Amino acid sequence: RYVANFKADCRIPLDRLPLALGAQLPEDIAVNGAVQVPDDFDARFDCTKKEYAYYIYPSTLRDPFHARYAYRYNYPLDIDRMQAGAQRFVGKQDFAAVRSQGTPVKSTVRTVFWCEAEPVDDLIRIRVCGDGFLYNMVRAMVGTCVYAAEGKFPPEAVADILLSRNRTA
């Protein structure tokens, strides 16, 4: 679910706007609500929380129904170890170790409100909610959780990885 904003001078009532927009949008985009906001509102910079969800399909066999929406991982994953590693990301911390080089930022400190790994049917869902994210930060967090789940290092090592501020760690 995303929030977007735009400025328009139209006579369509707000409660009818989602239907009007839906008639013009492609099938894979839906509008489920509309509200009027102050002129200086910016959906990207005024939000207080952002959330990502990554799905992993732990199987040696392909599933065409998951192909576009989940990453297939060929090896067994220990969900408890994954969750233990995910918990080490929670809090206000320096996340330089889990970012890619990208857009320059003033600070690599962010607050993660929750980071959870949980089974959802035959998938593993990793949800991360924070006040903002660095370039590729969540992807690197998920990869780190996968490594902990696979046993490449103990879940407790995630804290040390963050403290190192070193992406190669």
Side-chain angles (χ1 to χ4, degrees):
R1 183 177 283 189
Y2 296 96
V3 173
N5 67 291
F6 64 94
K7 292 178 170 69
D9 184 21
C10 69
R11 295 183 301 251
I12 301 170
L14 282 177
D15 64 330
R16 305 287 297 163
L17 192 57
L19 295 171
L21 291 171
Q24 302 300 314
L25 292 169
E27 287 292 316
D28 59 347
I29 298 175
V31 176
N32 63 12
V35 296
Q36 189 166 353
V37 296
D39 286 342
D40 63 347
F41 176 79
D42 185 300
R44 184 170 167 208
F45 297 109
D46 291 338
C47 72
T48 57
K49 292 181 180 173
K50 298 178 181 183
E51 183 176 332
Y52 281 91
Y54 276 75
Y55 291 86
I56 300 170
Y57 177 53
S59 176
T60 54
L61 301 175
R62 293 184 311 126
D63 182 329
F65 295 105
H66 293 319
R68 292 182 58 203
Y69 306 104
Y71 174 70
R72 185 171 56 89
Y73 197 74
N74 287 325
Y75 305 99
L77 295 171
D78 183 325
I79 189 80
D80 293 329
R81 289 176 58 93
M82 184 177 279
Q83 174 63 8
Q87 291 303 294
R88 301 314 194 277
F89 289 113
V90 176
K92 185 173 184 176
Q93 307 183 67
D94 189 328
F95 286 92
V98 287
R99 75 156 176 171
S100 294
Q101 295 301 318
T103 307
V105 294
K106 292 179 183 177
S107 172
T108 52
V109 174
R110 300 290 187 270
T111 301
V112 169
F113 301 112
W114 67 76
C115 184
E116 301 170 344
E118 58 193 350
V120 177
D121 299 323
D122 57 346
L123 302 174
I124 296 171
R125 177 175 63 192
I126 300 176
R127 293 183 335 137
V128 182
C129 178
D131 61 359
F133 300 107
L134 302 167
Y135 184 66
N136 280 337
M137 175 178 155
V138 176
R139 183 178 300 182
M141 290 169 65
V142 170
T144 303
C145 289
V146 166
Y147 279 6
E150 193 178 30
K152 290 188 176 182
F153 50 75
E156 300 78 29
V158 172
D160 295 329
I161 291 169
L162 287 176
L163 288 174
S164 78
R165 300 189 75 237
N166 182 351
R167 171 70 178 189
T168 59

